[in-house]
Amino acid sequence: MAAGKVKLYETAKYKIAQGIIDLDTHAFKVALFLVTSNCDTLTHDELADLTNEHANANGYVTGGRDLDNVTVTNTSGVIKFDADNEVFTASGGPITARFGVIYDDTVAGDPLVGVFLLDATPADVTATDGNTLTLAWNASGIFTLSGATSN
């Protein structure tokens, strides 16, 4: 399933600019959250600020999965943050979630980077026992940073 558009948390932009979040060298994770979570409020700062992460059960581990093979590229001034697709396998019951959250697992406090819907409807997404929930990132990357200056 295609992951939805990633919206950056407000403090993430500032922490990236300050070098606190280093997209090129830090370790990142993606965690799953329920419809009742507050994770889609972009003013949150750290993982502990968020409510209602998927329970540590049915093949899901609290804190989520590592983003594997993270890359940061610069093409004509557009910075692309990308990684391998992530796969969660349900075991012993379903994995059901509404949101995914990317955070920096290197910095103390686990600063939040971005949040996305798992289904654009929006609706919950469920992987039943023995099946997978795959986060397939956009071909253009997980997110891009670009901009122009005015004269």
Side-chain angles (χ1 to χ4, degrees), residues 98-112:
R98 173 75 57 106
F99 301 99
V101 171
I102 298 168
Y103 66 95
D104 186 335
D105 193 40
T106 302
V107 178
D110 298 325
L112 302 172

Side-chain angles (χ1 to χ4, degrees), residues 30-41:
V30 60
L32 301 178
F33 288 82
L34 307 178
V35 66
T36 53
S37 177
N38 64 351
C39 66
D40 62 336
T41 302

Side-chain angles (χ1 to χ4, degrees), residues 35-123:
V35 66
T36 53
S37 177
N38 64 351
C39 66
D40 62 336
T41 302
L42 297 178
T43 55
H44 292 298
D45 184 41
E46 297 181 341
L47 188 61
D49 297 337
L50 305 183
T51 59
N52 299 320
E53 181 180 358
H54 188 286
N56 190 45
N58 301 338
Y60 181 81
V61 177
T62 302
R65 295 182 49 86
D66 294 337
L67 286 182
D68 297 316
N69 299 312
V70 172
T71 59
V72 178
T73 57
N74 180 352
T75 305
S76 301
V78 176
I79 310 304
K80 178 171 82 168
F81 179 83
D82 205 5
D84 292 348
N85 294 340
E86 290 301 326
V87 179
F88 297 86
T89 302
S91 175
I95 295 175
T96 301
R98 173 75 57 106
F99 301 99
V101 171
I102 298 168
Y103 66 95
D104 186 335
D105 193 40
T106 302
V107 178
D110 298 325
L112 302 172
V113 175
V115 60
F116 56 94
L117 285 167
L118 299 178
D119 180 278
T121 305

